[in-house]
Structure formats: structure tokens, C-alpha cells
Amino acid sequence: MKTAIFVNGVPASGKSTVAAQVATLTGWPLLALDTVKEALFAQLGTGDRDYNRKLGRASYQAIFAQIGDFPLGNGVVIDAWFGFQPREILDAHIARAQLQTIGEIWCHAPPEIIGSRYAARVQARSGGHLGLDYVPELLTLASTATPLGDFPKFEIDTSQPVLLHELAAWVGQLKSQT
């Protein structure tokens, strides 16, 4: 049996911080969409928004292909915005990776906080990521995005301190199902 914890939320929702905490709690490897994407930017270069999305899709596929090679009995933490592709693509990746147990951590915050976070990090990120002109779209996305909803879920408002004891208890329950 393979287990995954999807740390999900729109860009700048606090996923990476939470995913690192979950990887520490579980001892499982952390696979982050942006880590793979950054490596692709470094080797293949950056481009326009369509190119960014193409590399995002490739990164997503690479993560699940890697999990497919994990031996049974392993777990993984995945840091990604799972709402950027059609659900049937995720379902196909889950099947190919042979994931049997999945939990979702839904990271969210008020849209204005997400927009501020995104704007603050634009200069520090590689040119392959979307720039400041993405913020208005992100604000709308942050106000309408929802969790996947098909897996056991733990919600975190990342504008507040993360209650690690509650997160650890939820992670422990999920791990006990494997």
C-alpha cells in the first residue's frame, strides 16, 4: 500500500511551509511541484504563461511517475496546487502511482493575504513564474478555490498559527490506516 498526503491550495496559500512540517512529522519524502519546475526552468529556460503551464504539467506528471516507482508500503507528501488541471488527470496519476490511501491538507487564507504574499515573493523567484500581473487573477482564484473533497481532509487557515498538535494527530490517524 502507498500513502500520500496532498498539501493543496492556491499559489501563496502557505502550502510549502505546511508541507515541510508534514514531511518532518511523517518522515516521508516531500515532492514539491515548484522544486521540479525550478529544475526544468534551470535546464530548459523560462518562457511565457503557456510555457509555464506546460512545465507545470510536466512537473506534476514527473512527481506521480516517481511515486509509481516507490515500493509498496511507502508514503509521500506532495506540495502542489491540485486545482490547476482537470480532475481526470489527477485520477489517472493516482492510479498509475498506485496510491491507495490519500489525505488532503487544504491550505487557505484570506485572498488579500494570499495576494500580498505572492506580490512579496515575485522578485525572489525565477522569471519562469508568473509576475505581479497575476495577482488580480490570484485574488479571484483564492476566493473561489475549493479542496478536492474526495479524501480525508484537514483544513489550515495559514493566516493563523498552525496548530501542530492537531495536525500531528490528523497525520497520525491517516498513517494508521496504512
Side-chain angles (χ1 to χ4, degrees), residues 49-135:
R49 186 172 183 159
D50 287 338
Y51 186 74
N52 175 299
R53 287 189 170 166
K54 182 177 184 177
L55 292 187
R57 290 187 303 272
S59 299
Y60 198 63
Q61 185 169 353
I63 285 171
F64 283 96
Q66 186 68 41
I67 295 166
D69 287 342
F70 286 9
L72 294 177
N74 283 279
V76 63
V77 178
I78 306 171
D79 167 6
W81 162 228
F82 289 92
F84 82 102
Q85 288 197 66
R87 179 56 193 263
E88 57 270 9
I89 291 174
L90 175 59
D91 291 340
H93 287 322
I94 289 169
R96 277 192 296 279
Q98 301 174 355
L99 290 170
Q100 290 86 21
T101 302
I102 298 169
E104 177 183 16
I105 297 176
W106 176 246
C107 298
H108 60 90
E112 61 277 4
I113 290 175
I114 288 176
S116 293
R117 287 177 184 165
Y118 192 90
R121 71 183 193 192
V122 164
Q123 295 302 320
R125 299 185 88 193
S126 76
H129 294 280
L130 301 178
L132 286 174
D133 57 336
Y134 177 61
V135 172

Side-chain angles (χ1 to χ4, degrees), residues 10 49 53 130 132-144:
V10 301
R49 186 172 183 159
R53 287 189 170 166
L130 301 178
L132 286 174
D133 57 336
Y134 177 61
V135 172
E137 183 180 338
L138 179 59
L139 292 173
T140 301
L141 181 61
S143 67
T144 60

